[in-house]
Amino acid sequence: MYSEQEFINAVRDNQNIVHKVCNLYMQHDGDKEDLFQEILLNAWKGIKNFKGEAKFSTWLYRVALNTAITFYRKDQRKVAFSELNEQQVSVAENTQGEEDQMIAMYKAISTLSNIDKALVMLYLENYDYLEIGHIMGITANNVAVKMNRIKIKLKEYSKKYL
């Protein structure tokens, strides 16, 4: 069982996970802040159920992803994603290096479904398929199939817009 201070320290050590989920699922700063708070609230409410069978970071990922996916459903609102036009997506020819590549990558990933976004994020964090499957509640084989399909989608997207 985590004490309040242990929970705060564990969240502080893993807050990058929560920020990444917020950046991936929300477009506007206010929405990101709201989601961040909602994730921390759900984590605090759920910490009593954390048995320590997985790493805290793995558990926090699961809480963050589940919260992000259902964030607006509680209020019976849906997140409205608008299609990005070519001008919004294109990366300037005189790129600023990694920052422009990162922006382009986030734009491409933002076109994916919520579940696919979660898979990509975990993959980019160097989790193996078995760990991703554990976090997402699916088999490692299912993760591999989904990741292959996602990679194809992202390649098609990059050919079309970048």
Side-chain angles (χ1 to χ4, degrees):
M1 186 75 167
Y2 274 73
S3 70
E4 184 175 340
Q5 191 58 49
E6 289 171 327
F7 175 79
I8 291 169
N9 291 339
V11 168
R12 185 176 297 129
D13 292 343
N14 294 282
Q15 68 180 326
N16 61 330
I17 292 169
V18 180
H19 286 295
K20 287 176 186 177
V21 170
C22 293
N23 286 330
L24 195 58
Y25 281 88
M26 295 296 134
Q27 304 293 322
H28 305 288
D29 289 341
D31 293 337
K32 290 175 186 178
E33 291 171 16
D34 290 345
L35 178 57
F36 187 87
Q37 291 176 4
E38 189 73 17
I39 291 168
L40 292 183
L41 178 63
N42 286 342
W44 176 245
K45 287 178 182 177
I47 193 65
K48 63 184 173 283
N49 299 322
F50 177 62
K51 295 175 178 71
E53 294 170 356
K55 292 188 283 184
F56 181 84
S57 60
T58 301
W59 175 82
L60 186 59
Y61 253 125
R62 181 171 244 168
V63 171
L65 291 171
N66 288 335
T67 303
I69 290 169
T70 61
F71 183 62
Y72 283 105
R73 291 182 189 162
K74 287 191 304 185
D75 296 327
Q76 297 178 338
R77 294 183 287 170
K78 302 252 184 210
V79 178
F81 289 100
S82 60
E83 292 212 17
L84 300 173
N85 63 39
E86 192 170 341
Q87 182 181 12
Q88 291 171 310
V89 176
S90 66
V91 178
E93 287 189 46
N94 56 351
T95 63
Q96 297 175 359
E98 289 182 17
E99 184 177 335
D100 287 340
Q101 289 176 350
M102 188 67 80
I103 291 168
M105 180 184 70
Y106 273 112
K107 286 181 180 178
I109 293 170
S110 74
T111 65
L112 299 172
S113 72
N114 287 337
I115 299 298
D116 289 351
K117 285 180 197 176
L119 289 168
V120 168
M121 185 179 67
L122 292 168
Y123 178 79
L124 292 174
E125 287 293 315
N126 294 321
Y127 281 88
D128 64 37
Y129 288 170
L130 188 61
E131 291 172 309
I132 294 171
H134 179 70
I135 293 168
M136 300 293 296
I138 58 178
T139 66
N141 189 44
N142 197 349
V143 172
V145 170
K146 288 181 177 289
M147 284 306 301
N148 284 331
R149 290 178 183 159
I150 291 167
K151 288 175 185 178
I152 291 168
K153 284 181 191 176
L154 292 176
K155 283 179 186 176
E156 289 173 3
Y157 180 88
S158 65
K159 286 179 186 175
K160 189 173 181 181
Y161 294 107
L162 303 179

